[in-house]
Amino acid sequence: MAERVASEVFDAALQYIEDNATKLIVCSAEPTTYTEANATYALADVVIDATDFTGPAAGDVSGGRKTTVAAQTGVLIDTSGTATHIALVKTATSALIHVATCTSQALVANGSNTVNVPAYDIEIDA
């Protein structure tokens, strides 16, 4: 049976991410909980808000919708490790909102080292 979901449904999900994500965290493994993202696997983090997103908009995949997370530059590295994932969380409610893979990169914390996170899309496809 074929299914179709209205763009407004996808947009509502993406808008939730935009409206609720308050921190972007570079992680050393895939977090499945807020605590894993914010503490256990956290290497670097930066405060974000709705202005760090562009969308919802037409997706790159047929029928999909997306929002783009803005690039973050000069994010202070707090803990040494290999970056493998990016997590978006809502700190006020300790909620893990979204997790994505990233290009694996060794990060070294020395009090002044930083990492740049390029812009990336969160896309929902029909």
Side-chain angles (χ1 to χ4, degrees):
M1 175 165 80
E3 294 184 37
R4 178 169 269 323
V5 177
S7 294
E8 293 82 4
V9 174
F10 294 145
D11 287 355
L14 294 168
Q15 193 65 54
Y16 178 86
I17 295 170
E18 293 181 16
D19 292 345
N20 287 280
T22 58
K23 188 191 288 188
L24 180 149
I25 307 168
V26 179
C27 298
S28 61
E30 180 179 2
T32 59
T33 66
Y34 174 84
T35 299
E36 287 180 348
N38 196 51
T40 308
Y41 303 136
L43 302 175
D45 62 80
V46 62
V47 173
I48 61 171
D49 61 27
T51 64
D52 289 294
F53 296 89
T54 304
D60 299 324
V61 178
S62 178
R65 301 289 290 168
K66 71 178 181 180
T67 188
T68 301
V69 183
Q72 303 295 319
T73 59
V75 180
L76 184 65
I77 300 168
D78 300 312
T79 304
S80 296
T82 301
T84 61
H85 290 79
I86 304 295
L88 301 177
V89 302
K90 181 175 183 178
T91 54
T93 59
S94 300
L96 177 63
I97 295 176
H98 184 265
V99 177
T101 58
C102 65
T103 302
S104 181
Q105 179 181 354
L107 303 181
V108 177
N110 71 357
S112 63
N113 281 353
T114 61
V115 63
N116 296 330
V117 178
Y120 67 96
D121 293 338
I122 299 172
E123 187 157 346
I124 301 174
D125 185 18

